[in-house]
Amino acid sequence: TDLTNIVLLDFILSQQDRVGNIDYVEHWYWVENGALKSRKAVAHGDETEPLPEGAVKLKRTHLNDNDAGARVEYANFAKSTGMLDDLHHFPAGTWRQLMVLEADLMAEGPLHGYLKSSFGLSDRQFAQLVKNTLLAAATLRMQCQAGTIQFDLDPETFILTGTATPETIDCGAP
């Protein structure tokens, strides 16, 4: 899920240097009384607190470096390498958020205004962000309509139940 979301963000932001440059933070995850629990792992494995039975250490992506994103002059490697075209599993919640963002940007709604005024983007950078977002939504919508994406990335449910059941998505609706 993290990697899929980063590919989408990198596509939208025209991130140039993500390939081979992914930071992460390790966390422990376990199920306690039917609920998913977690805590940040101690660096270098020197845990001072005992770990709950069945705890699993996972690497969670950490967006720590975005100096090569949102600049018009940079190469958008997520776009040029077709990373979105090659995704076959996607989080349903991210899909819904992307479709809401697409609709808002097209209508120049409140998210459009917030993005335009809050991040110090030039007019060219903002236009590129909008263009990339609309292209990302169109690309993923086409894959959804073609049936090449399963909406089955739900780590919490997978850890709790051991299964990932694809969610049915209306490919044409925001």
Side-chain angles (χ1 to χ4, degrees), residues 103-124:
D104 184 273
L105 291 175
M106 290 173 62
E108 296 188 13
L111 292 173
H112 179 278
Y114 176 76
L115 288 171
K116 189 171 187 170
S117 65
S118 298
F119 297 100
L121 299 171
S122 70
D123 289 342
R124 285 182 64 215

Side-chain angles (χ1 to χ4, degrees), residues 20-142:
N21 187 19
I22 299 176
D23 289 330
Y24 63 88
V25 176
E26 293 181 323
H27 287 78
W28 288 102
Y29 290 87
W30 66 94
V31 177
E32 185 177 300
N33 297 323
L36 183 64
K37 302 286 184 176
S38 69
R39 76 173 191 230
K40 188 176 176 181
V42 175
H44 309 294
D46 299 328
E47 298 292 333
T48 56
E49 294 181 45
L51 294 170
E53 184 177 332
V56 176
K57 189 189 296 186
L58 298 175
K59 294 178 180 178
R60 296 298 316 263
T61 53
H62 181 71
L63 291 178
N64 195 32
D65 173 14
N66 196 37
D67 60 345
R71 295 192 174 171
V72 177
E73 64 273 12
Y74 283 169
N76 183 339
F77 288 127
K79 186 191 293 185
S80 66
T81 60
M83 286 183 179
L84 284 181
D85 298 319
D86 291 333
L87 294 178
H88 299 289
H89 300 272
F90 207 79
T94 301
W95 165 269
R96 284 190 284 277
Q97 289 173 328
L98 177 62
M99 296 302 123
V100 167
L101 179 58
E102 176 198 39
D104 184 273
L105 291 175
M106 290 173 62
E108 296 188 13
L111 292 173
H112 179 278
Y114 176 76
L115 288 171
K116 189 171 187 170
S117 65
S118 298
F119 297 100
L121 299 171
S122 70
D123 289 342
R124 285 182 64 215
Q125 289 171 327
F126 180 71
Q128 177 177 261
L129 183 139
V130 170
K131 179 182 168 188
N132 288 347
T133 303
L134 299 181
L135 180 58
T139 299
L140 293 172
R141 185 179 293 107
M142 284 190 296

